[in-house]
Amino acid sequence: MSMSVLVLGAGMVGVSVALHLARRGRDVVLVDRQQPGEGASFGNGGLIQREAVFPHAFPRQAREILRIAGNRAIDARYHLRALPGFASPLLQYWWHSEPARYERAAAAHAALIETCLDEHLALARNTPAMALLRPIGWMRLYGDAAGMEAALRQAERARAEHGVNFVALDRQGLATAEPHLMVGRAGAIHWTDPLSVSDPQALVLEYAARFAEEGGRFVIGDAATLERAGAGWRVMTAEGAMEAAEVVIALGASATMVTRKLGYAPPLFGKRGYHRHFGLRGNAVLHRPILDTPSGFLLAPMRAGVRLTTGAEFAAPDAPPTPVQLDQAEPVARGLLPLGDRVEATPWMGTRPCMPDMLPVIGPLPGQDGAWCAFGHAHQGLTLGPTTGRMLAEMMTGEAPFIPPEPYRAERFL
């Protein structure tokens, strides 16, 4: 039993942790209430974001705060009744976004992001997963010259400090790159490093298949039943009680459901998001994902069609879906690109797990021998799953972590 591990949560992070542990000789059981990749890993923009070295800070300009407070924006909405529950984490988010604190967080965030391509390719190379990883990058579109110039200054900093590559496109260059856009924009930044994933869940399933090849097991189970079993841990599954010497909590936005019972309640908060797929009319093509800054949504070509994703919705965890942002975005998107019929009758909804200091929690669970954390990756769970998996597996097996783990330690929220 001393070499056994339960990994709770079968999204990109949990599957990556399980795979790395299995490759290091651990006897691993991966547990989730649904199949791998059916949570937040299912419904993202499908980008391995090597360019995302600067995390999203809390808005500090009054005009931007007032815009969001109006609760009409496509990129951010809130349920009024849910706001009291978000008050503390959002206040902490604002505090950590103070420029000096933000720079420290950004440095730690970038240390993870800089590894993402190498770590994904290390898992995908020479497997069917490679066919899902398209080296086409993505583009961010700007509606005015001032916005484009400000973005270029930030992009130049990302290139100088973190080796991020990009190409700046003027109005004509954008029209040439994406000839089926129906609206002119001042220009775009084409981030050329990121990989675009044609089917995010399929990528998780491919990594889960590698995990099974290494001798790992996946079972349907209930993470909420986690409890001590002597010096180890027990969880109930469809195959009965499963016990192991160690446990990894990789449950995304639901992580505190388990950690709180174990004496650890970090200020994790969830941001809901939605997506829906569309066909394209006639011979129209979208060559790469595009984020339209004036509109606040992403359009990404995927196996199922063109995926339209929304920004953030702040709602109670048990609140029913309210895809208002998607309803707002669809007519705008139809004016940007010749979208055809909806592929699904009902849009998908999921929740991104966010920490107020913009950094994930990776490492030992305080006060609980044999328990480990891997959650809080916000919008970057798909990007950082393999990085987190390697880093945590190295910590758990006594290797020197390839990234210094101190900025991500759970104790920072005690």
Side-chain angles (χ1 to χ4, degrees):
M1 184 173 172
S2 63
M3 300 286 283
S4 58
V5 185
L6 296 167
V7 176
L8 307 183
M12 178 57 81
V13 173
V15 168
S16 298
V17 171
L19 175 53
H20 273 284
L21 285 169
R23 287 185 170 176
R24 286 163 173 79
R26 293 299 191 260
D27 179 12
V28 185
V29 176
L30 180 63
V31 181
D32 203 312
R33 62 183 179 181
Q34 51 194 352
Q35 293 297 313
E38 291 189 357
S41 295
F42 184 94
N44 48 72
L47 296 171
I48 311 301
Q49 286 192 257
R50 173 60 179 85
E51 92 297 339
V53 291
F54 301 122
H56 296 288
F58 193 97
R60 300 188 77 83
Q61 295 182 341
R63 178 184 298 179
E64 180 68 2
I65 293 174
L66 289 173
R67 181 185 72 84
I68 295 172
N71 209 25
R72 295 185 178 90
I74 292 175
D75 59 335
R77 300 278 296 197
Y78 58 86
H79 292 189
L80 189 60
R81 291 182 178 179
L83 287 185
F86 286 96
S88 178
L90 289 181
L91 181 60
Q92 293 180 61
Y93 185 13
W94 173 84
W95 188 85
H96 283 288
S97 297
E98 181 272 332
R101 299 184 191 100
Y102 175 81
E103 288 300 321
R104 290 193 292 271
H109 181 78
L112 298 173
I113 291 291
E114 288 174 2
T115 71
C116 66
L117 297 182
D118 289 342
E119 295 308 311
H120 267 281
L121 292 174
L123 299 186
R125 194 172 285 115
N126 300 320
T127 79
M130 284 299 295
L132 301 167
L133 300 175
R134 303 171 295 185
I136 57 177
W138 67 282
M139 294 198 306
R140 184 158 194 155
L141 283 52
Y142 295 90
D144 58 75
M148 180 76 177
E149 289 170 5
L152 281 173
R153 289 193 293 272
Q154 185 83 329
E156 290 289 1
R157 181 186 169 195
R159 177 154 58 191
E161 297 180 8
H162 303 288
V164 173
N165 295 301
F166 67 91
V167 175
L169 302 174
D170 60 14
R171 183 182 295 269
Q172 184 56 50
L174 172 59
T176 300
E178 292 293 348
H180 291 103
L181 289 177
M182 299 160 61
V183 174
R185 291 290 185 246
I189 293 177
H190 179 193
W191 301 104
T192 56
D193 293 324
L195 297 169
S196 173
V197 183
S198 60
D199 186 333
Q201 187 194 17
L203 185 63
V204 177
L205 289 171
E206 283 296 337
Y207 293 171
R210 307 290 82 72
F211 166 66
E213 289 172 357
E214 297 288 343
R217 295 178 57 204
F218 169 76
V219 296
I220 296 291
D222 183 1
T225 64
L226 180 70
E227 61 182 2
R228 276 287 184 185
W233 300 92
R234 178 189 298 117
V235 70
M236 295 305 300
T237 77
E239 299 180 19
M242 293 284 178
E243 295 187 4
E246 297 182 281
V247 64
V248 176
I249 299 165
L251 292 166
S254 300
T256 53
M257 169 190 70
V258 172
T259 67
R260 186 175 290 111
K261 296 189 299 183
L262 301 175
Y264 181 60
L268 178 73
F269 64 99
K271 292 193 293 186
R272 301 204 309 193
Y274 300 83
H275 81 233
R276 176 177 262 146
H277 294 98
F278 298 84
L280 284 169
R281 299 199 308 269
N283 63 349
V285 176
L286 180 63
H287 292 294
R288 61 190 59 79
I290 58 172
L291 195 157
D292 188 48
T293 300
S295 307
F297 55 72
L298 178 82
L299 289 164
M302 294 195 175
R303 279 178 170 177
V306 173
R307 179 177 289 187
L308 171 62
T309 73
T310 66
E313 180 186 62
F314 296 89
D318 57 351
T322 52
V324 176
Q325 293 161 290
L326 203 56
D327 292 340
Q328 285 181 286
E330 182 177 335
V332 181
R334 289 186 178 280
L336 187 69
L337 199 68
L339 297 180
D341 294 338
R342 296 174 174 179
V343 173
E344 310 97 346
T346 303
W348 177 91
M349 184 193 80
T351 305
R352 307 175 187 96
C354 303
M355 302 303 299
D357 65 351
M358 296 159 279
L359 297 173
V361 178
I362 306 171
L365 181 70
Q368 297 288 347
D369 290 342
W372 302 81
C373 302
F375 55 81
H377 293 76
H379 296 255
Q380 301 302 338
L382 185 73
T383 294
L384 294 177
T387 294
T388 300
R390 176 182 169 184
M391 181 179 166
L392 188 62
E394 288 172 343
M395 295 170 70
M396 293 176 67
T397 56
E399 301 174 52
F402 80 118
I403 298 172
E406 288 76 18
Y408 323 105
R409 67 192 188 283
E411 289 86 354
R412 71 189 195 267
F413 291 112
L414 287 180

